[in-house]
Amino acid sequence: MASKKRSSVAVIILNWNGYAHTRSCLLSLEKISYPDYGVFVVDNGSHDGSGLRLQEEFPEVHFIFNHKNLGFTGGNLAGIEQAVKIGYEYFLLLNNDTSVEVDFLDKLMDCLTNDSKTGLVQPLILFQDSPDIIWSAGGSYSKLLGISKTLGDRATLKGYPLHRIHLDWATGCCVLFSKEVLNATGGLANSFFAYFEDVDWSLRIRKAGYDILLAEQSIIYHEGSASSKQESEEGTLSPTVFYLHSRNQLFQLRRHHKGLEAILAWPYQLLKYSAWMSYFCLRGRFTKMKAVARGIRDGMFLDHRSREPLCP
């Protein structure tokens, strides 16, 4: 890793009991061609000793240890804060369950810095175990119903036309931005903790007059949901995921939907989550049913503008 210049990029990775994933990601980053970058690993309250173990193996990496899990938002904000203090002006958020192509950062930086109107860029993200299948080619957003959709989701790479470069939102799995955009928009909303925080920030970036782009020539690979999967009698995904999903979706409506958009979006989303609860009840997954119900309640009444992460 070369000495820092103005064009240096701070690569921020969260670790939460994820030694194998984080180690693999760090090894992948060691091979990239971009000449000037620094890596920041934020250990987000791990209880398995993985942060200390990684620190011993990667002494050139900056490590930040949070005393508890501050979520995707709080963890990344801690990493960004440290990188800003050192003097970085470009920041890349990268999930730990990813691997990258050698030139992915070169192409992301080219895309971001080519036009001053560009505020956020993401790479083309493929499935790690099926590199011919797209995990994300960006996102679209329906203001009428409050629906955020992942473009290219599970489409074959050969069959998907990569013609939509301008995006409504970019996924927090891998996103590059500048200090200017961070200052202009305030960054991630810490109250979200995890899920929909990338959509919310993207919408605010676009409201501030910036474009969000897909750098389709930049390629990374993603396992997907590694930190939220846990086997149980109620299924693979944790009830916490369903709580955060329902809560933060309603946070998003409260932050971005007014007038006619709110009249249509609120009934649609509440009906959707009511259907989820009915499904979980029929399947006997009562913990998940209660999690969604709690998410609806908190999404309607908690302080969605809190500066603190609202933990599940």
Side-chain angles (χ1 to χ4, degrees):
M1 299 178 192
S3 59
K4 194 191 75 58
K5 301 175 184 177
R6 180 177 175 82
S7 60
S8 292
V9 179
V11 180
I12 299 167
I13 301 169
L14 300 188
N15 177 69
W16 183 63
N17 303 320
Y19 170 79
H21 283 114
T22 305
R23 181 178 184 275
S24 178
C25 183
L26 291 173
L27 290 173
S28 177
L29 285 169
E30 287 182 344
K31 302 173 184 177
I32 67 174
S33 56
Y34 193 80
D36 201 352
Y37 68 101
V39 179
F40 294 74
V41 171
V42 181
D43 187 75
N44 223 2
S46 295
H47 50 72
D48 64 350
S50 55
L52 292 173
R53 186 177 175 188
L54 290 163
Q55 187 178 41
E56 290 180 0
E57 292 185 39
F58 298 90
E60 73 282 6
V61 170
H62 302 273
F63 277 82
I64 301 162
F65 291 89
N66 291 333
H67 66 284
K68 64 178 181 179
N69 186 356
L70 301 180
F72 183 85
T73 57
N76 276 304
L77 288 171
I80 292 169
E81 180 181 8
Q82 184 62 32
V84 168
K85 288 179 180 178
I86 293 175
Y88 286 89
E89 296 195 0
Y90 292 92
F91 311 89
L92 179 83
L93 307 186
L94 182 66
N95 276 19
N96 72 328
D97 56 348
T98 59
S99 60
V100 301
E101 287 287 353
V102 170
D103 60 353
F104 93 106
L105 188 51
D106 304 81
K107 292 178 177 177
L108 281 175
M109 279 294 285
D110 287 345
C111 184
L112 181 67
T113 59
N114 186 54
D115 188 336
S116 61
K117 289 181 61 180
T118 304
L120 205 62
V121 295
Q122 77 155 79
L124 179 64
I125 307 174
L126 309 176
F127 277 95
Q128 193 134 265
D129 58 354
S130 301
D132 58 334
I133 304 296
I134 296 173
W135 186 83
S136 172
S140 65
Y141 190 76
S142 167
K143 286 299 293 287
L144 285 178
L145 299 177
I147 300 173
S148 49
K149 179 182 178 182
T150 297
L151 298 172
D153 184 20
R154 300 184 184 276
T156 59
L157 184 58
K158 287 185 178 180
Y160 187 78
L162 290 168
H163 62 269
R164 181 167 182 172
I165 306 303
H166 285 77
L167 307 174
D168 292 338
W169 60 278
T171 174
C173 172
C174 182
V175 65
L176 179 69
F177 55 94
S178 68
K179 185 179 178 181
E180 174 191 327
V181 170
L182 183 68
N183 291 337
T185 62
L188 297 169
N190 209 5
S191 57
F192 278 62
F193 191 81
Y195 298 100
F196 287 103
E197 75 293 320
D198 47 6
V199 181
D200 167 72
W201 189 30
S202 294
L203 294 178
R204 287 187 282 117
I205 286 171
R206 293 182 65 229
K207 284 180 181 178
Y210 294 97
D211 293 328
I212 300 174
L213 303 182
L214 170 70
E216 77 279 9
Q217 297 300 315
S218 175
I219 306 292
I220 74 166
Y221 306 92
H222 187 219
E223 177 177 323
S225 302
S227 64
S228 59
K229 293 177 180 176
Q230 59 178 44
E231 293 294 338
S232 74
E233 60 185 20
E234 290 207 1
T236 302
L237 289 178
S238 163
T240 301
V241 172
F242 293 96
Y243 166 77
L244 290 169
H245 195 289
S246 54
R247 186 194 73 179
N248 292 353
Q249 173 72 77
L250 299 187
F251 277 179
Q252 186 171 280
L253 295 187
R254 290 168 63 189
R255 293 167 71 91
H256 298 285
H257 288 254
K258 309 295 181 184
L260 180 61
E261 293 169 352
I263 292 172
L264 294 175
W266 274 95
Y268 173 82
Q269 294 296 341
L270 290 174
L271 181 62
K272 179 182 75 175
Y273 291 118
S274 296
W276 282 22
M277 291 171 62
S278 298
Y279 170 79
F280 290 141
C281 184
L282 290 172
R283 295 293 301 272
R285 297 177 178 179
F286 299 112
T287 302
K288 289 184 177 179
M289 181 191 71
K290 292 176 182 177
V292 175
R294 188 163 60 92
I296 293 172
R297 180 199 65 194
D298 290 350
M300 295 177 69
F301 299 111
L302 283 184
D303 179 12
H304 62 91
R305 298 193 182 277
S306 171
R307 292 180 177 271
E308 297 299 320
L310 298 178
C311 303

